[in-house]
Amino acid sequence: MTDITPFGTRLRTALDTRGQLCVGIDPHGSLLTAWGLNDDLAGLESFSRTVVEALADRVAVLKPQSAFFERFGSRGIAVLERTVAEAREAGALVLMDAKRGDIGSTMAAYAETFLAPDSPLFSDALTVSPYLGFGSLQPAVDLAHRNGCGLFALALTSNPEGHEVQRAVGADGESVAQAVLRRLAAENSGAAPLGSFGAVVGATLADAGVDLAINGPLLAPGVGAQGATAQDLPRVFGDQVRNVVPSVSRDVLKHGPSVAALRQAAQVLVDDVRAVTNA
């Protein structure tokens, strides 16, 4: 393939024009019920189509959570395939939240599932877990480079258990999280205006305590239902705040199934983030 625009370049444009926001597509059972839908395949399809209709032409990133589709088996995966395709056709960048991480040919197969253009689940970017060693992600890194896709590696997550691994320090004095960030920075070296290899760093952190200058995007879960606000972003991310992509699910999705209400909720968050990032 030739003349591929890297994910980081496309993301920078989307953030600058549509605002810094990623909205999750998380059709868990309680949310389907709150929308007046059944927790079944029909409810899954209605929910997903509504979110895409409401937001795909206006937010920078949509992030389907693969698990909530996988629980319906092959028919749920078929809904996920349509959701990804329709969201991308409407102009959103699609970040598949699958947190894949394995070794060798298995990691290569996961990468092909989400990062190969001929796959029905082809997405603009994929969340990955580096905790079998960052080098285990090489098949996904290589395919992302080749196809102009992005990766978001877990670095400092918003769940309280994460510190057990992520804050652990090796014999060289470097934390696991910092080692992940260092490897991402190396992949992004020389990229402009933004690298394609991002980190997941929770907006709920009291203090990141690491160097976040990776020349790449920083996906920031925790804004909204988990307690963080847009006003917390400069404190956590410092001079990297312009590269932050706050990830919100429940605080937007709870306003469905009204398309207008979903759009309004997303716009409020976009405006809140813009006010603190001066973007």
Side-chain angles (χ1 to χ4, degrees):
M1 299 178 67
T2 58
D3 298 325
I4 297 173
T5 302
F7 171 73
T9 300
R10 292 183 285 125
L11 179 61
R12 179 78 274 156
T13 298
L15 298 178
D16 291 347
T17 57
R18 294 186 172 202
Q20 293 173 237
L21 188 66
C22 167
V23 178
I25 304 180
D26 295 0
H28 53 75
S30 61
L31 192 51
L32 294 178
T33 299
W35 278 34
L37 300 170
N38 292 327
D39 186 13
D40 57 16
L41 194 69
L44 177 74
E45 180 120 39
S46 178
F47 177 95
S48 302
R49 285 186 178 276
T50 300
V51 176
V52 169
E53 177 189 351
L55 301 177
D57 66 344
R58 61 197 63 220
V59 301
V61 182
L62 286 178
K63 182 173 69 65
Q65 169 48 258
S66 180
F68 292 120
F69 296 83
E70 292 177 34
R71 68 194 182 103
F72 291 99
S74 61
R75 293 178 298 172
I77 296 298
V79 174
L80 181 58
E81 291 173 1
R82 291 192 291 273
T83 300
V84 170
E86 291 170 5
R88 296 186 77 232
E89 287 170 6
L93 295 174
V94 172
L95 167 57
M96 182 62 68
D97 195 355
K99 299 182 181 70
R100 296 300 194 249
D102 216 303
I103 60 173
S105 59
T106 307
M107 189 65 238
Y110 281 138
E112 290 166 6
T113 300
F114 301 107
L115 304 175
D118 59 352
S119 169
L121 286 169
F122 178 59
S123 303
D124 296 283
L126 172 68
T127 59
V128 291
S129 174
Y131 297 117
L132 288 175
F134 192 91
S136 67
L137 300 176
Q138 198 62 48
V141 170
D142 291 343
L143 201 59
H145 275 301
R146 188 180 315 147
N147 295 328
C149 298
L151 297 178
F152 285 84
L154 304 177
L156 284 173
T157 54
S158 57
N159 62 304
E161 304 86 0
H163 74 277
E164 297 174 8
V165 172
Q166 296 157 12
R167 296 287 192 184
V169 176
D172 59 358
E174 184 178 52
S175 70
V176 172
Q178 188 63 73
V180 171
L181 292 162
R182 173 172 51 80
R183 296 292 294 270
L184 291 168
E187 294 297 335
N188 291 327
S189 179
L194 188 68
S196 297
F197 297 88
V200 180
V201 178
T204 54
L205 298 174
D207 177 17
V210 291
D211 183 2
L212 296 174
I214 63 170
N215 190 32
L218 301 166
L219 185 72
V223 174
Q226 294 185 48
T229 69
Q231 287 68 38
D232 292 313
L233 299 177
R235 174 183 56 79
V236 177
F237 296 96
D239 61 4
Q240 297 301 305
V241 73
R242 184 169 174 265
N243 296 333
V244 171
V245 188
S247 178
V248 180
S249 294
R250 281 171 287 176
D251 255 32
V252 170
L253 299 178
K254 68 183 181 182
H255 295 278
S258 166
V259 167
L262 288 166
R263 289 174 174 170
Q264 176 62 23
Q267 188 60 51
V268 166
L269 287 166
V270 167
D271 292 341
D272 286 348
V273 173
R274 184 174 283 129
V276 301
T277 61
N278 298 313

